[in-house]
Amino acid sequence: MTTEDNIVSKIVSLSKRRGIIFQNSEIYGGIQGFFDYGPIGSLMKKNWKDLWIRDNVTRRQDVVFIDGSIITHPRVWEASGHVKNFGDELVECKKCHKRFRPDLIDNAKKCPECDGEFTAPKKFNILFHTEIGVIEGEKLPAYLRGEACQTIYLDFKNIVDNCRVKIPFGIAQIGKAFRNEITPKNFLYRTREFEQWDIQYFVHPNEMEKWYEYWKEQRMVWYQKLFNNKENLRFRQHEANELVFYAKKAFDIEYQTPWGWAEMEGIHWRSDYDLTQHSKFSGQDLDYRDPVTNEKYTPWITETSGGVDRSFFFLLLDSYTEEKLENGNIRTVLKINPQVSAYKMAIFPIAANKPEIVSKSLDLYQKLSLKYSVDFDDSSNIGKKYRRQDEIGTPWCAVVDYQTLEDNTVSIRDRDTMEQIRINIEEIDNWLSSKLNS
Ligand code: ATP
């Protein structure tokens, strides 16, 4: 068993050891709030996003997908309210000039570092600034987007005019967002550069309630399907004093982390706020005309907005397992959904110095790799090979051995049960495909 506190540090160390996630710029001492996905993690994250796209976009006829730009017209962030209101209140120590969020230091009256006096709380904006252009005096100040979803509102008119959509419909996007977070912490939980997956679902105002409830349910069911420990997922309804003025209600999907329940995704009632704001600031008519009734109105929006990296981290927390084996050793296994695993199968020749066995293994690898992401490992120690695949969450390992040369079967070991079965090489493709789709 692992104690709750050190699970995060175990995952950080496993992530580094196995090429899942690295601290960014580590050779320069690292930089807080930025991470890189390594050879294994980048495949896993891609699969995580592909599943979201499959279930929320391509399997539906009412949701389209976009991939918007990170830098937009600076007015966008004035219209959205981010220039004015995006940030936290901080107090600054008058002596050492360190800044703190009062709630994170228990509203202490003196600086915890040097006992100095604090200034009055002041709001700090967390948008990242940049500039467009190179000629001094002509540079246009701009921002890296503080949330991905704004691009969806910007493309709304183009999509309605050109993409054969009819209300109710959704626009989905996965993309980077940047926040100059004051206190990046807990690995991927709070970073300064991260990805969000958003759906903005546009409806007739009379149907808002129905679609809000629909998406709230859908998104929870989706996470429940993919996490092992469903009891670690819950809704948290926002209190009346947390609601923005245009929201009738708001719910977060939360995950129970070692440091308590934490937000993973928000389901937001946005009414006509965003389209109205952008209409006002851009001077464009963003209303929708119903092609059947001819009614013209500003659509209302249900937004589902989640963190790709944050939910991926929670998925790692959910799947990290340590098992005590009969010989007393500890087996570390990432019991992650096979659809998210970097490799669906690893193929090992039982002996690296038997050309017939190696060539049969390579044939199998080449055949399967046309359709699946698979790994090949001909290093010598079978125990080490299993350990590596367990730790990166590869669901099945196939061993080509002496018997394979006689009857064309291989042994397949299951990551979670460690049980082995024998299967004819010709049947592996179908077997794997039915396993992955079950
Ligand atoms: P929090 O209260 O945790 O800062 P938020 O309410 O500001 O989050 P939203 O603006 O609703 O978050 O963003 C939607 C989602 O984006 C969040 O549910 C979270 O999963 C993710 N997210 C937000 N900020 C970060 C961050 N700094 N690092 C990683 N993921 C983030």
Side-chain angles (χ1 to χ4, degrees), residues 260-281:
W261 289 95
E263 173 182 337
M264 177 157 72
E265 175 155 327
I267 319 296
H268 301 129
W269 177 294
R270 301 205 59 99
S271 70
D272 61 356
Y273 179 74
D274 307 282
L275 290 179
T276 305
Q277 280 296 102
H278 284 300
S279 181
K280 223 190 275 170
F281 276 71

mmCIF file of all heavy atoms in Angstrom, residues 260-281:
data_model
loop_
_atom_site.group_PDB
_atom_site.id
_atom_site.type_symbol
_atom_site.label_atom_id
_atom_site.label_comp_id
_atom_site.label_asym_id
_atom_site.label_seq_id
_atom_site.Cartn_x
_atom_site.Cartn_y
_atom_site.Cartn_z
ATOM 1 N N GLY A 260 -7.492 16.320 -1.177
ATOM 2 C CA GLY A 260 -8.913 16.671 -1.038
ATOM 3 C C GLY A 260 -9.624 16.684 -2.386
ATOM 4 O O GLY A 260 -9.013 16.428 -3.419
ATOM 5 N N TRP A 261 -10.932 16.969 -2.360
ATOM 6 C CA TRP A 261 -11.702 17.018 -3.599
ATOM 7 C C TRP A 261 -11.241 18.211 -4.423
ATOM 8 O O TRP A 261 -11.058 19.301 -3.881
ATOM 9 C CB TRP A 261 -13.196 17.145 -3.308
ATOM 10 C CG TRP A 261 -13.788 15.883 -2.748
ATOM 11 C CD1 TRP A 261 -13.967 15.583 -1.432
ATOM 12 C CD2 TRP A 261 -14.262 14.759 -3.509
ATOM 13 N NE1 TRP A 261 -14.526 14.327 -1.325
ATOM 14 C CE2 TRP A 261 -14.720 13.801 -2.576
ATOM 15 C CE3 TRP A 261 -14.350 14.459 -4.876
ATOM 16 C CZ2 TRP A 261 -15.261 12.573 -2.965
ATOM 17 C CZ3 TRP A 261 -14.883 13.237 -5.256
ATOM 18 C CH2 TRP A 261 -15.327 12.305 -4.317
ATOM 19 N N ALA A 262 -11.044 17.991 -5.727
ATOM 20 C CA ALA A 262 -10.530 19.074 -6.571
ATOM 21 C C ALA A 262 -11.248 19.082 -7.913
ATOM 22 O O ALA A 262 -11.585 18.030 -8.462
ATOM 23 C CB ALA A 262 -9.028 18.893 -6.795
ATOM 24 N N GLU A 263 -11.439 20.285 -8.430
ATOM 25 C CA GLU A 263 -12.169 20.438 -9.698
ATOM 26 C C GLU A 263 -11.420 19.802 -10.864
ATOM 27 O O GLU A 263 -10.219 19.984 -11.025
ATOM 28 C CB GLU A 263 -12.365 21.942 -9.980
ATOM 29 C CG GLU A 263 -12.953 22.204 -11.343
ATOM 30 C CD GLU A 263 -13.112 23.703 -11.665
ATOM 31 O OE1 GLU A 263 -13.185 24.505 -10.716
ATOM 32 O OE2 GLU A 263 -13.165 24.031 -12.868
ATOM 33 N N MET A 264 -12.182 19.079 -11.690
ATOM 34 C CA MET A 264 -11.600 18.512 -12.911
ATOM 35 C C MET A 264 -12.242 19.149 -14.143
ATOM 36 O O MET A 264 -11.599 19.352 -15.162
ATOM 37 C CB MET A 264 -11.837 17.004 -12.918
ATOM 38 C CG MET A 264 -11.365 16.281 -14.139
ATOM 39 S SD MET A 264 -11.058 14.538 -13.811
ATOM 40 C CE MET A 264 -12.704 13.900 -13.616
ATOM 41 N N GLU A 265 -13.545 19.436 -14.022
ATOM 42 C CA GLU A 265 -14.273 20.018 -15.157
ATOM 43 C C GLU A 265 -15.448 20.828 -14.613
ATOM 44 O O GLU A 265 -16.048 20.451 -13.610
ATOM 45 C CB GLU A 265 -14.772 18.880 -16.062
ATOM 46 C CG GLU A 265 -15.647 19.332 -17.212
ATOM 47 C CD GLU A 265 -15.645 18.369 -18.395
ATOM 48 O OE1 GLU A 265 -14.609 17.720 -18.661
ATOM 49 O OE2 GLU A 265 -16.686 18.270 -19.051
ATOM 50 N N GLY A 266 -15.774 21.912 -15.295
ATOM 51 C CA GLY A 266 -16.926 22.715 -14.879
ATOM 52 C C GLY A 266 -18.036 22.617 -15.911
ATOM 53 O O GLY A 266 -17.761 22.602 -17.121
ATOM 54 N N ILE A 267 -19.286 22.547 -15.446
ATOM 55 C CA ILE A 267 -20.436 22.563 -16.352
ATOM 56 C C ILE A 267 -21.132 23.899 -16.099
ATOM 57 O O ILE A 267 -21.684 24.113 -15.018
ATOM 58 C CB ILE A 267 -21.428 21.403 -16.061
ATOM 59 C CG1 ILE A 267 -20.681 20.096 -15.744
ATOM 60 C CG2 ILE A 267 -22.429 21.242 -17.202
ATOM 61 C CD1 ILE A 267 -19.856 19.524 -16.846
ATOM 62 N N HIS A 268 -21.040 24.776 -17.089
ATOM 63 C CA HIS A 268 -21.434 26.166 -16.851
ATOM 64 C C HIS A 268 -22.669 26.582 -17.633
ATOM 65 O O HIS A 268 -22.804 26.268 -18.807
ATOM 66 C CB HIS A 268 -20.268 27.102 -17.198
ATOM 67 C CG HIS A 268 -19.034 26.815 -16.389
ATOM 68 N ND1 HIS A 268 -17.803 26.625 -16.940
ATOM 69 C CD2 HIS A 268 -18.873 26.662 -15.053
ATOM 70 C CE1 HIS A 268 -16.918 26.380 -15.987
ATOM 71 N NE2 HIS A 268 -17.551 26.396 -14.828
ATOM 72 N N TRP A 269 -23.515 27.325 -16.937
ATOM 73 C CA TRP A 269 -24.722 27.909 -17.519
ATOM 74 C C TRP A 269 -24.318 29.305 -17.964
ATOM 75 O O TRP A 269 -24.152 30.196 -17.145
ATOM 76 C CB TRP A 269 -25.787 27.955 -16.415
ATOM 77 C CG TRP A 269 -27.086 28.581 -16.747
ATOM 78 C CD1 TRP A 269 -27.322 29.884 -17.047
ATOM 79 C CD2 TRP A 269 -28.359 27.913 -16.772
ATOM 80 N NE1 TRP A 269 -28.664 30.074 -17.255
ATOM 81 C CE2 TRP A 269 -29.328 28.885 -17.089
ATOM 82 C CE3 TRP A 269 -28.776 26.596 -16.543
ATOM 83 C CZ2 TRP A 269 -30.677 28.586 -17.190
ATOM 84 C CZ3 TRP A 269 -30.125 26.295 -16.638
ATOM 85 C CH2 TRP A 269 -31.063 27.274 -16.956
ATOM 86 N N ARG A 270 -24.130 29.515 -19.284
ATOM 87 C CA ARG A 270 -23.558 30.794 -19.715
ATOM 88 C C ARG A 270 -24.599 31.737 -20.305
ATOM 89 O O ARG A 270 -24.261 32.847 -20.710
ATOM 90 C CB ARG A 270 -22.417 30.552 -20.700
ATOM 91 C CG ARG A 270 -21.307 29.683 -20.080
ATOM 92 C CD ARG A 270 -19.982 29.920 -20.718
ATOM 93 N NE ARG A 270 -19.566 31.301 -20.611
ATOM 94 C CZ ARG A 270 -18.710 31.772 -19.707
ATOM 95 N NH1 ARG A 270 -18.177 30.964 -18.829
ATOM 96 N NH2 ARG A 270 -18.391 33.046 -19.698
ATOM 97 N N SER A 271 -25.852 31.253 -20.374
ATOM 98 C CA SER A 271 -26.950 32.022 -20.987
ATOM 99 C C SER A 271 -26.469 32.663 -22.310
ATOM 100 O O SER A 271 -25.717 32.028 -23.051
ATOM 101 C CB SER A 271 -27.533 33.032 -20.005
ATOM 102 O OG SER A 271 -26.616 34.070 -19.757
ATOM 103 N N ASP A 272 -26.875 33.907 -22.591
ATOM 104 C CA ASP A 272 -26.438 34.508 -23.864
ATOM 105 C C ASP A 272 -25.267 35.461 -23.641
ATOM 106 O O ASP A 272 -24.958 36.292 -24.474
ATOM 107 C CB ASP A 272 -27.610 35.251 -24.525
ATOM 108 C CG ASP A 272 -28.125 36.395 -23.644
ATOM 109 O OD1 ASP A 272 -27.623 36.547 -22.510
ATOM 110 O OD2 ASP A 272 -29.020 37.129 -24.093
ATOM 111 N N TYR A 273 -24.614 35.320 -22.474
ATOM 112 C CA TYR A 273 -23.593 36.282 -22.073
ATOM 113 C C TYR A 273 -22.471 36.453 -23.110
ATOM 114 O O TYR A 273 -22.157 37.567 -23.522
ATOM 115 C CB TYR A 273 -23.000 35.885 -20.718
ATOM 116 C CG TYR A 273 -21.918 36.840 -20.257
ATOM 117 C CD1 TYR A 273 -22.248 38.109 -19.789
ATOM 118 C CD2 TYR A 273 -20.578 36.484 -20.321
ATOM 119 C CE1 TYR A 273 -21.257 39.003 -19.396
ATOM 120 C CE2 TYR A 273 -19.592 37.367 -19.924
ATOM 121 C CZ TYR A 273 -19.930 38.622 -19.459
ATOM 122 O OH TYR A 273 -18.952 39.500 -19.071
ATOM 123 N N ASP A 274 -21.871 35.345 -23.535
ATOM 124 C CA ASP A 274 -20.664 35.447 -24.364
ATOM 125 C C ASP A 274 -20.961 36.022 -25.744
ATOM 126 O O ASP A 274 -20.247 36.902 -26.227
ATOM 127 C CB ASP A 274 -19.999 34.070 -24.494
ATOM 128 C CG ASP A 274 -19.767 33.467 -23.127
ATOM 129 O OD1 ASP A 274 -18.815 33.869 -22.470
ATOM 130 O OD2 ASP A 274 -20.586 32.612 -22.704
ATOM 131 N N LEU A 275 -22.024 35.511 -26.373
ATOM 132 C CA LEU A 275 -22.335 36.018 -27.713
ATOM 133 C C LEU A 275 -22.767 37.485 -27.638
ATOM 134 O O LEU A 275 -22.431 38.286 -28.508
ATOM 135 C CB LEU A 275 -23.414 35.157 -28.380
ATOM 136 C CG LEU A 275 -22.956 33.741 -28.768
ATOM 137 C CD1 LEU A 275 -24.099 32.955 -29.396
ATOM 138 C CD2 LEU A 275 -21.768 33.784 -29.737
ATOM 139 N N THR A 276 -23.489 37.842 -26.593
ATOM 140 C CA THR A 276 -23.910 39.239 -26.438
ATOM 141 C C THR A 276 -22.696 40.148 -26.255
ATOM 142 O O THR A 276 -22.588 41.205 -26.874
ATOM 143 C CB THR A 276 -24.847 39.374 -25.214
ATOM 144 O OG1 THR A 276 -25.915 38.463 -25.399
ATOM 145 C CG2 THR A 276 -25.397 40.775 -25.080
ATOM 146 N N GLN A 277 -21.754 39.726 -25.419
ATOM 147 C CA GLN A 277 -20.545 40.530 -25.185
ATOM 148 C C GLN A 277 -19.765 40.726 -26.478
ATOM 149 O O GLN A 277 -19.353 41.826 -26.803
ATOM 150 C CB GLN A 277 -19.631 39.824 -24.174
ATOM 151 C CG GLN A 277 -20.026 39.991 -22.731
ATOM 152 C CD GLN A 277 -19.942 41.436 -22.281
ATOM 153 O OE1 GLN A 277 -20.963 42.107 -22.183
ATOM 154 N NE2 GLN A 277 -18.732 41.920 -22.014
ATOM 155 N N HIS A 278 -19.555 39.622 -27.202
ATOM 156 C CA HIS A 278 -18.753 39.732 -28.430
ATOM 157 C C HIS A 278 -19.500 40.512 -29.500
ATOM 158 O O HIS A 278 -18.883 41.176 -30.329
ATOM 159 C CB HIS A 278 -18.326 38.346 -28.919
ATOM 160 C CG HIS A 278 -17.211 37.774 -28.094
ATOM 161 N ND1 HIS A 278 -15.988 38.414 -27.974
ATOM 162 C CD2 HIS A 278 -17.131 36.677 -27.311
ATOM 163 C CE1 HIS A 278 -15.201 37.715 -27.165
ATOM 164 N NE2 HIS A 278 -15.882 36.654 -26.746
ATOM 165 N N SER A 279 -20.807 40.437 -29.477
ATOM 166 C CA SER A 279 -21.595 41.207 -30.423
ATOM 167 C C SER A 279 -21.420 42.695 -30.121
ATOM 168 O O SER A 279 -21.208 43.513 -31.008
ATOM 169 C CB SER A 279 -23.050 40.766 -30.292
ATOM 170 O OG SER A 279 -23.823 41.460 -31.194
ATOM 171 N N LYS A 280 -21.477 43.005 -28.829
ATOM 172 C CA LYS A 280 -21.330 44.394 -28.404
ATOM 173 C C LYS A 280 -19.940 44.937 -28.776
ATOM 174 O O LYS A 280 -19.807 46.001 -29.341
ATOM 175 C CB LYS A 280 -21.491 44.450 -26.871
ATOM 176 C CG LYS A 280 -22.356 45.626 -26.394
ATOM 177 C CD LYS A 280 -22.290 45.780 -24.892
ATOM 178 C CE LYS A 280 -23.286 44.898 -24.134
ATOM 179 N NZ LYS A 280 -23.050 44.881 -22.685
ATOM 180 N N PHE A 281 -18.906 44.185 -28.468
ATOM 181 C CA PHE A 281 -17.540 44.670 -28.675
ATOM 182 C C PHE A 281 -17.124 44.653 -30.145
ATOM 183 O O PHE A 281 -16.283 45.445 -30.553
ATOM 184 C CB PHE A 281 -16.544 43.855 -27.836
ATOM 185 C CG PHE A 281 -16.427 44.358 -26.426
ATOM 186 C CD1 PHE A 281 -17.470 44.189 -25.520
ATOM 187 C CD2 PHE A 281 -15.277 45.015 -25.992
ATOM 188 C CE1 PHE A 281 -17.369 44.654 -24.207
ATOM 189 C CE2 PHE A 281 -15.174 45.494 -24.685
ATOM 190 C CZ PHE A 281 -16.219 45.313 -23.800
#
